[in-house]
Amino acid sequence: MNETMTKNLLELTLGSAIKDKQTTTLQTGVMDPPMPEGMHYRAARPIHDARGHLIEIFDTRWDFHNEPYPQSYLSTLRPGVVKGWALHKLHEDRYFVVAGELELVTFDPRPESKTYGLLSRVMLTGDQPRIINIPRFVWHADHNVGTTDAVIINLPTAPFDHANPDKYRLPIDTPLIPHRFDGATGGW
């Protein structure tokens, strides 16, 4: 191949390529994506001994979240399945993934928020346990991207009201949120 042909192929292929974005930092090796304003997480630290391990999920003495935890529940999500889109007006969800690999996708439609219009994807796994909150009025969807069931504990800030559920839904393929779950099944 001559030099001109090589240069043209290089320009042609690079002109169509997409450059990788930063995914880690030199200092920590981890870089979380920007999350909606008011959303944050706290890493958990497993305590191991000869019998097994213990992980503290939530403690009111932590400076994590100042709202009560009047209810907790455990749910599972099968591999390749999406639950969402959902939004709560009156309470926040607080997730802790016990096992599996869950991609939590959020979309912030709050006009007064600093992160208005932001789409965020956060990986939650049993291997790197942490608790994360999902603020009121933020759309969220749970996508099991692993090969086993994802096991999630939720510690919402208010108990579920069976007579008047605080849950609003959109289909997972809504054109109103700029995200596609290619190849995933499920819905709300």
Side-chain angles (χ1 to χ4, degrees), residues 27-70:
Q27 293 76 19
T28 64
V30 176
M31 188 176 95
D32 283 314
M35 294 186 286
E37 181 179 13
M39 186 172 169
H40 55 281
Y41 69 87
R42 183 183 193 282
R45 186 176 50 90
I47 302 165
H48 298 273
D49 67 19
R51 301 167 295 172
H53 70 275
L54 176 141
I55 300 173
E56 292 180 325
I57 296 172
F58 188 83
D59 189 319
T60 58
R61 296 169 295 181
W62 298 340
D63 188 22
F64 172 72
H65 207 279
N66 60 359
E67 292 193 49
Y69 55 106

Side-chain angles (χ1 to χ4, degrees), residues 151-166:
V151 180
I152 305 116
I153 294 175
N154 190 3
L155 304 159
T157 57
F160 185 75
D161 183 345
H162 293 83
N164 186 21
D166 177 31

Side-chain angles (χ1 to χ4, degrees), residues 130-161:
R130 57 184 166 169
I131 188 168
I132 190 166
N133 74 301
I134 304 162
R136 292 168 184 83
F137 295 98
V138 170
W139 289 104
H140 54 285
D142 308 332
H143 183 194
N144 183 339
V145 295
T147 57
T148 62
D149 282 5
V151 180
I152 305 116
I153 294 175
N154 190 3
L155 304 159
T157 57
F160 185 75
D161 183 345

Side-chain angles (χ1 to χ4, degrees), residues 77-83 97 99-105 121-125 141-152 179-185:
L77 188 60
R78 300 204 188 286
V81 174
V82 175
K83 284 184 187 176
V97 172
E101 298 176 39
L102 181 76
E103 179 184 51
L104 172 61
V105 185
R121 295 168 27 190
V122 178
M123 286 297 298
L124 302 171
T125 70
D142 308 332
H143 183 194
N144 183 339
V145 295
T147 57
T148 62
D149 282 5
V151 180
I152 305 116
H179 184 74
R180 298 293 161 261
F181 296 98
D182 295 329
T185 61

